[in-house]
Amino acid sequence: MLPSLYIIIPCYNEQEVLPVTAPMFRQKLLDLIAAGKISDESRILFVNDGSKDRTWELITQMARAEEHIIGISQSRNRGHQNAVLAGLMEAKDRCDITISIDCDGQDDIDAMDKMVDAYLQGNEVVYGVRSSRETDTFFKRTTAQGFYKFLSAMGAEVVYNHADYRLISSRVLQEFADFHEVNLFLRGMIPLVGFQSTTVEYARHERLAGESHYPLKKMIALAMDGITSLSVKPLRLITSFGVLVALISFIGCVWALIDALVGRTVAGWASMTCIICFVSGVQLISLGIIGEYIGKIYMETKRRPRYIISERTWEEQETDRRMPDQI
């Protein structure tokens, strides 16, 4: 029996790129069906992340015109990670496998063939890994690669050069549903579930239309979420650094005492000022890192919903079908 596939595509203000990429996703789905790799019950699930433009209107129009396209809309903008999660949780009971991919067309959709093949060979998770970043600017390429290396150094388990282009089986998603974190970092959380996995390399293209919604500010915020959600290593580094500073301070105190006893003390305003400023800076940075963790704990204890679905295209279609009976 052929597996059913749901392609999960988060969308935020994508009215410019959606008319370009949606037909590409649809054709890829139909090609996979025609190749006998997936069943005709497969669907493309667009997730509207509280867009302020015509994105949801375009999704509903496509859903009415094409049976293989469906969509859900969040009640407000929740962010990329929450949008992907909403799509995955919505699809986990409806299909055998999911593939999450961004709407901008930068990720090579032809890699889906290899992902499905890898699933048919027994892999439950298939990570899309970028083979090169030639289309990125030097700054973007350097910061992105540094991002993955920094996450690994801080103890977060991530797949190098993997973003959110991945295949996940419904079996894995059923287990992943038990992860209730509010602070989401999916590319670090999925490896924690386990199961047999592999990678598929692909070349990343330039964005086909519109502008990127993931600037450096959001990249830094995502890195902070990844580190503080998956690792306590920064706290241990603070402890280690505190011990080091305390040791140096103790040596300094012994040295100052000896100098005082032999009568060699001299007024040292500059050195004292430098020491005070240094220690104060270390304390503030340490408090900031600890505060970040406390903030995460605060958000987790609230247990607020990570997403709220306000509309579904199939509910709208069911309402339309009932309307003639009510007239």
Side-chain angles (χ1 to χ4, degrees):
M1 187 174 180
L2 295 177
S4 57
L5 165 68
Y6 269 47
I7 302 176
I8 312 298
I9 307 174
C11 304
Y12 176 66
N13 292 343
E14 302 288 6
Q15 66 176 16
E16 295 181 10
V17 74
L18 201 55
V20 179
T21 57
M24 296 168 52
F25 292 125
R26 174 183 174 275
Q27 188 58 53
K28 172 52 63 178
L29 188 75
L30 295 178
D31 289 345
L32 288 170
I33 294 173
K37 294 184 178 182
I38 58 176
S39 74
D40 191 55
E41 298 299 316
S42 300
R43 297 289 183 269
I44 299 172
L45 174 57
F46 288 102
V47 182
N48 176 43
D49 187 24
S51 299
K52 299 177 181 178
D53 59 6
R54 296 179 58 248
T55 296
W56 179 240
E57 179 184 341
L58 293 174
I59 292 173
T60 54
Q61 289 175 359
M62 291 186 293
R64 293 192 194 102
E66 171 56 59
E67 65 173 347
H68 289 100
I69 294 179
I70 57 176
I72 58 176
S73 181
Q74 297 206 88
S75 59
R76 59 180 293 272
N77 177 251
R78 299 265 177 171
H80 179 271
Q81 297 292 280
N82 294 74
V84 174
L85 177 70
L88 293 175
M89 294 299 101
E90 194 77 12
K92 67 181 176 62
D93 297 321
R94 297 171 171 270
C95 64
D96 299 305
I97 50 177
T98 64
I99 293 179
S100 57
I101 185 172
D102 289 340
C103 184
D104 54 20
Q106 288 188 280
D107 296 324
D108 185 9
I109 62 173
D110 289 332
M112 291 186 188
D113 297 75
K114 297 179 182 178
M115 289 182 173
V116 174
D117 289 340
Y119 167 76
L120 296 175
Q121 293 168 6
N123 294 285
E124 301 283 350
V125 182
V126 184
Y127 301 101
V129 176
R130 299 166 188 173
S131 58
S132 66
R133 287 181 172 271
E134 295 179 356
T135 57
D136 292 341
T137 63
F138 174 79
F139 178 77
K140 172 67 175 178
R141 182 168 57 253
T142 303
T143 54
Q145 292 175 341
F147 167 75
Y148 291 105
K149 293 178 180 178
F150 183 65
L151 284 176
S152 297
M154 288 295 103
E157 184 179 349
V158 293
V159 178
Y160 186 71
N161 265 340
H162 164 69
D164 288 294
Y165 187 18
R166 69 179 76 86
L167 178 148
I168 310 176
S169 71
S170 59
R171 180 186 178 192
V172 174
L173 289 177
Q174 295 295 339
E175 300 299 330
F176 184 67
D178 291 331
F179 285 62
H180 301 294
E181 286 95 328
V182 173
N183 303 285
L184 296 176
F185 186 68
L186 296 178
R187 65 189 73 175
M189 293 170 66
I190 298 298
L192 296 177
V193 185
F195 292 93
Q196 183 173 329
S197 65
T198 187
T199 61
V200 167
E201 291 191 349
Y202 68 94
R204 186 167 171 81
H205 309 304
E206 294 182 359
R207 186 181 177 91
L208 296 181
E211 298 180 354
S212 173
H213 303 299
Y214 232 78
L216 178 62
K217 181 180 178 181
K218 287 190 176 181
M219 283 288 292
I220 294 174
L222 184 64
M224 288 298 297
D225 280 340
I227 295 168
T228 55
S229 298
L230 300 171
S231 173
V232 295
K233 191 170 183 178
L235 295 176
R236 292 172 180 166
L237 289 175
I238 289 175
T239 302
S240 301
F241 192 65
V243 170
L244 177 62
V245 172
L247 179 61
I248 294 174
S249 299
F250 176 74
I251 295 173
C253 289
V254 173
W255 170 73
L257 181 60
I258 294 174
D259 270 6
L261 291 175
V262 299
R264 294 186 308 199
T265 55
V266 179
W269 177 86
S271 59
M272 184 62 67
T273 301
C274 291
I275 293 172
I276 292 174
C277 290
F278 173 72
V279 174
S280 298
V282 170
Q283 289 176 334
L284 289 174
I285 293 173
S286 301
L287 286 173
I289 295 175
I290 295 171
E292 186 72 24
Y293 277 91
I294 293 174
K296 288 290 191 297
I297 296 171
Y298 174 68
M299 294 303 296
E300 293 292 344
T301 56
K302 287 177 177 291
R303 300 189 66 82
R304 290 174 177 170
R306 296 172 292 181
Y307 59 89
I308 298 175
I309 305 301
S310 59
E311 297 178 75
R312 296 175 174 85
T313 56
W314 55 89
E315 290 178 350
E316 178 183 306
Q317 292 167 355
E318 289 173 358
T319 301
D320 292 340
R321 285 196 294 269
R322 288 196 298 266
M323 285 297 290
D325 300 331
Q326 299 172 358
I327 298 176

